[in-house]
Amino acid sequence: MADIAIRAVRKSYGKNPTLHGIDLAFASGEFVVILGPSGCGKSTLLRMIAGLEEITSGEIAINGKVVNRLEPRERGCAMVFQNYALYPHMTVAGNIGYALKVAGVPKAERLRRIEETAKIVGLSDYLDRKPAALSGGQRQRVAMARAIIREPNVFLFDEPLSNLDAKLRVTMRAEIRKLHQRLSATSIFVTHDQVEAMTLADKLVVMNKGVVEQVGQPLDIYHRPASIFVASFIGSPAMNLFDAAVDVDNACLTFGGTKMVIDRALAVRLGARHITVGIRPEQCVVAPEGVSIKVDFIEELGSGRVIHSELNGHPFAATVDEHTRARPGDRVTLELPLAHLHLFDQETGRRIEIDLAPRAARNSASQQTLQAV
Amino acid sequence: MDKRAAFRSWWLPSLFALPQIILILLFFYWPAVAVLRWAFTLEPPFGGAAEFVGFANFKEVFADPLYWNSVGVSLAFALCGTLATIFIGLVLALAVDRQLPGSAPFRFLYILPYAIAGPAAGMAFRFILSPERGLMASVNAAFPDFWNPAKYGSHALILVIVVFAWKWAGYTFIFLLAGLQSVPRSLIEAAAMDGCGPIRRAVDIQIPLLAPTLFFLLVIMMTEGFVGADTYGIVARTTDGGPNHGTDVMVYRIVEEAFRGLNYSGASAQSLVLIGLIMIFTFIQFRFIERQVHYK
Ligand SMILES: Nc1ncnc2c1ncn2[C@@H]1O[C@H](COP(=O)(O)OP(=O)(O)O)[C@@H](O)[C@H]1O
Ligand SMILES: [Mg+2]
């Protein structure tokens, strides 16, 4: 159990800045997921917490104690590496128990704890094998066991599931979550997979290009993305984003030959300018009136289908149920409920905190949705 | 795609191969056959055809206590020299592999001695470790004869081993550094997370993973120590096999017998014994040590 504070942390490799001032605070026992595209600096941040990478400036504190100058072994963190980093010349038992051996734990106790830990991850029958004789999933478990046995204050995971096949990934995800509930150590889990992030996180940190874009609970981030980047990165299929002009005189948004009436007061608050409007594919509703699009191709999901199209020069997708018949070339009319529109400033890329559908209007919008279904 | 070139005639490819064939015949097969012939014959002192004598040359060699002395000296030289070169190369490689700031030039510096000819290094060390004027002179002033390779065979043997190690540590260093760099960095990091300091990491993780490289170097350096051109060159330039045969390694003895004593038959017999010894050693190494080596 340990809380972690990251204060104004920067990292440069030579002259190349990689992290541009990160400020984060994690509570004790939290499961934190750091999500971001490849190369955004997630691993670098994690490795700085672990002590494997020098901190260029700023400070990291674990349990209130600044650890900048501490060796990895003095920080009480355990790490699961992406490629597992198992010692190829040691048996599974040797790998799991190595930290205890280094710590000078007597052999009898060591063996007892190795067996205990192996049981937790279901490796009891493989203790005498070398890593080369294990499957990917089993190696993954050895890597986890090696971290668990140390009873660390902080668990660090660097994309531990990305080398597994899809099915195993889902199983391991559940196991990691269960394990966290059982051990209640603070866990920091780095991934580029947003599904993984959404399902695992208590607290989600979205990073891009060395800065933190948004911190919050997964659902909050899903419903109120703080920037265009977060909006496009979270959710699958990705949120539709398109350019729209605010027409203050007529109190509407115009895009691609469509006018969408909005509240006059809100239009005034927005001011006459171009903004980026976003809507999730699953929030688009097939309706008699609305935006007309031409179907380019259709993606079958089994439980539904995704219509791919174009709006105002931007790709546009809409999720519809399996009863909606449409073929490439057909025109489909979609209602874009005001309550589900996200507005973004085009200059800063940040969210504009304006709710286009006040409470009353929202209720009727959701009723409409129900009718359409 | 088939990469072999097809020739229409037989003489063109033969012509291409000819220089290599001539070189091998001239410098390998001819001397080998000559050594075989000399080892089993005796040249009459006043000319005439060589006379077949069976194993008489070998019997004479084995009956000579000085020969057995040189076998012992060679063993000591090769074993100590090999262990010293591998140990020094390993320590240097581990240090350079940590990539601490400012370590880059050392990579180059540590390899440099390998580029210097053994006899030249030997000459240099004769001065550096000279008992009267060298590094040990001040120690000798306090404790007379603490270090005197001109007087004590054991000191002389240490001297030639030092020269050998100084030169060949650069060679083992290259291989060991390459080996260390192929150990995945994440293993070292995992060990650091598991609580190891640098020395523990080296002993528990890096050295076991280097085992194939270490084994390769063991075989190469033992062979080099027994029959390497440097072994002869260093001994000849540093101690001349002395004092009192204290550094009379087998190769030095063979060359001396053949070209100073003009006893081709005795020298050839010794050569064959030496080759046999090396084969036995290499066999032992492969049989008993290679099994302990992990290949990933
Ligand atoms: N050792 C290094 N030397 C120089 N640049 C590095 C080093 N490690 C990472 N980087 C750079 O830092 C950036 C972030 O890397 P990383 O943290 O590994 O990204 P992520 O884990 O998010 O994919 C990348 O652009 C990468 O090129
Ligand atoms: Mg990474």
Side-chain angles (χ1 to χ4, degrees):
Chain A
M1 299 283 269
D3 54 75
I4 298 174
I6 298 168
R7 293 190 273 267
V9 163
R10 287 169 188 277
K11 174 74 189 178
S12 310
Y13 289 107
K15 285 210 178 73
N16 301 332
T18 298
L19 294 179
H20 313 273
I22 305 281
D23 282 282
L24 289 168
F26 305 141
S28 192
E30 224 168 12
F31 199 113
V32 179
V33 175
I34 300 178
L35 173 68
S38 181
C40 72
K42 313 177 291 288
S43 297
T44 305
L45 182 60
L46 196 74
R47 292 163 53 80
M48 286 199 293
I49 298 171
L52 297 173
E53 207 78 68
E54 193 111 14
I55 300 169
T56 308
S57 75
E59 61 181 28
I60 294 179
I62 299 178
N63 255 345
K65 185 173 169 206
V66 175
V67 296
N68 284 34
R69 304 234 57 86
L70 293 189
E71 290 287 320
R73 60 179 165 220
E74 298 162 318
R75 298 190 184 195
C77 305
M79 183 150 165
V80 179
F81 291 82
Q82 177 169 3
N83 59 5
Y84 317 139
L86 302 182
Y87 310 124
H89 56 298
M90 297 185 194
T91 59
V92 168
N95 267 283
I96 297 176
Y98 185 61
L100 299 186
K101 191 170 162 190
V102 173
V105 175
K107 189 156 184 191
E109 193 194 336
R110 207 161 74 214
L111 288 180
R112 186 179 59 72
R113 281 176 63 185
I114 290 173
E115 273 172 21
E116 249 174 50
T117 314
K119 209 190 237 166
I120 296 177
V121 294
L123 279 174
S124 300
D125 297 337
Y126 300 92
L127 285 176
D128 293 330
R129 292 215 194 163
K130 293 269 175 69
L134 297 178
S135 71
Q138 289 165 337
R139 286 181 210 179
Q140 166 69 54
R141 284 163 205 268
V142 178
M144 303 258 295
R146 193 168 64 174
I148 295 169
I149 200 168
R150 293 180 44 205
E151 299 172 352
N153 293 326
V154 181
F155 265 114
L156 305 172
F157 299 88
D158 191 355
E159 312 213 15
L161 306 183
S162 58
N163 289 346
L164 302 180
D165 60 61
K167 190 153 169 264
L168 203 51
R169 201 156 18 185
V170 175
T171 327
M172 286 309 292
R173 208 156 71 196
E175 284 190 29
I176 288 181
R177 189 65 230 201
K178 254 194 286 185
L179 198 72
H180 173 72
Q181 265 149 17
R182 170 171 179 163
L183 301 175
S184 69
T186 312
S187 301
I188 305 181
F189 186 105
V190 159
T191 179
H192 64 264
D193 179 340
Q194 49 114 358
V195 179
E196 220 165 88
M198 295 291 287
T199 49
L200 281 172
D202 292 329
K203 176 183 267 179
L204 183 55
V205 176
V206 185
M207 280 182 69
N208 185 30
K209 295 186 181 151
V211 297
V212 172
E213 292 268 341
Q214 189 171 6
V215 184
Q217 287 177 4
L219 277 185
D220 281 349
I221 293 182
Y222 180 82
H223 288 305
R224 303 173 65 78
S227 66
I228 294 182
F229 171 79
V230 177
S232 62
F233 197 70
I234 295 208
S236 170
M239 183 188 280
N240 299 303
L241 291 161
F242 49 88
D243 180 84
V246 182
D247 185 342
V248 179
D249 299 335
N250 299 320
C252 62
L253 298 175
T254 61
F255 50 89
T258 312
K259 283 186 194 305
M260 189 178 256
V261 179
I262 60 175
D263 191 75
R264 183 165 295 278
L266 294 181
V268 172
R269 256 176 72 196
L270 278 170
R273 59 169 163 167
H274 281 265
I275 58 174
T276 296
V277 176
I279 181 162
R280 297 206 177 272
E282 54 271 29
Q283 312 286 17
C284 303
V285 184
V286 181
E289 266 184 54
V291 183
S292 171
I293 56 167
K294 184 162 146 275
V295 178
D296 284 339
F297 66 95
I298 292 175
E299 215 178 356
E300 290 292 350
L301 299 180
S303 60
R305 51 184 61 136
V306 183
I307 297 177
H308 288 271
S309 167
E310 209 173 70
L311 180 69
N312 207 7
H314 302 274
F316 193 95
T319 311
V320 298
D321 62 31
E322 67 233 79
H323 307 300
T324 309
R325 303 243 171 263
R327 296 234 187 113
D330 289 355
R331 291 204 81 89
V332 174
T333 309
L334 296 173
E335 188 202 332
L336 313 181
L338 282 180
H340 295 302
L341 293 189
H342 305 262
L343 309 183
F344 300 98
D345 186 307
Q346 286 192 335
E347 254 152 51
T348 62
R350 306 300 296 179
R351 178 184 189 84
I352 303 171
E353 285 295 351
I354 284 182
D355 197 347
L356 288 181
R359 190 160 295 278
R362 178 177 296 176
N363 284 341
S364 73
S366 55
Q367 263 164 20
Q368 256 177 10
T369 312
L370 281 175
Q371 278 160 9
V373 171
Chain B
M1 205 183 84
D2 195 354
K3 282 212 173 135
R4 278 183 302 178
F7 290 102
R8 270 171 221 283
S9 56
W10 60 268
W11 59 269
L12 188 61
S14 314
L15 199 64
F16 285 147
L18 202 58
Q20 187 67 21
I21 291 175
I22 289 178
L23 283 179
I24 291 178
L25 284 177
L26 206 57
F27 292 105
F28 186 76
Y29 285 106
W30 190 10
V33 171
V35 163
L36 259 180
R37 200 167 59 85
W38 280 327
F40 293 97
T41 58
L42 258 182
E43 204 84 26
F46 301 107
E51 186 186 334
F52 181 78
V53 293
F55 285 94
N57 291 326
F58 290 90
K59 280 187 194 135
E60 195 180 339
V61 164
F62 290 142
D64 187 349
L66 278 181
Y67 178 72
W68 291 108
N69 168 65
S70 88
V71 173
V73 169
S74 251
L75 266 175
F77 179 85
L79 261 176
C80 298
T82 299
L83 293 183
T85 44
I86 293 181
F87 180 76
I88 296 170
L90 183 61
V91 170
L92 296 181
L94 283 168
V96 168
D97 185 57
R98 293 199 67 200
Q99 296 179 346
L100 299 178
S103 68
F106 289 93
R107 186 188 325 217
F108 172 68
L109 286 179
Y110 292 155
I111 297 172
L112 218 49
Y114 180 57
I116 291 170
M123 281 304 283
F125 270 89
R126 251 171 90 163
F127 290 107
I128 294 170
L129 290 181
S130 134
E132 297 89 15
R133 295 174 300 271
L135 288 178
M136 299 297 282
S138 52
V139 182
N140 276 341
F143 308 93
D145 271 357
F146 178 82
W147 170 253
N148 195 346
K151 188 168 167 188
Y152 302 110
S154 56
H155 294 191
L157 190 56
I158 292 174
L159 176 62
V160 286
I161 290 172
V162 164
V163 179
F164 183 82
W166 183 81
K167 175 177 169 171
W168 285 89
Y171 178 82
T172 59
F173 168 77
I174 302 172
F175 281 92
L176 290 168
L177 184 62
L180 282 176
Q181 289 181 343
S182 69
V183 173
R185 201 120 297 257
S186 60
L187 287 188
I188 311 294
E189 290 173 350
M193 297 296 298
D194 273 345
C196 294
I199 293 176
R200 184 89 200 236
R201 289 202 294 264
V203 173
D204 281 359
I205 311 291
Q206 289 170 307
I207 293 176
L209 293 177
L210 273 184
T213 311
L214 288 169
F215 175 69
F216 163 78
L217 287 174
L218 179 71
V219 174
I220 294 285
M221 292 318 297
M222 284 295 278
T223 312
E224 184 65 38
F226 267 109
V227 288
D230 257 354
T231 304
Y232 171 77
I234 290 169
V235 169
R237 285 289 152 270
T238 317
T239 60
D240 259 331
N244 191 21
H245 297 283
T247 54
D248 197 8
V249 292
M250 292 166 85
V251 265
Y252 183 75
R253 191 177 164 78
I254 290 170
V255 175
E256 287 294 294
E257 283 234 23
F259 298 110
R260 227 179 263 179
L262 295 182
N263 176 8
Y264 289 166
S265 297
S268 299
Q270 290 182 34
S271 301
L272 290 185
V273 176
L274 181 54
I275 292 170
L277 257 181
I278 289 169
M279 284 163 72
I280 291 171
F281 261 114
T282 311
F283 176 77
I284 292 174
Q285 287 166 342
F286 270 94
R287 184 75 208 282
F288 296 105
I289 304 181
E290 199 206 13
R291 292 180 172 190
Q292 318 289 326
V293 171
H294 305 277
Y295 289 96
K296 273 176 277 177

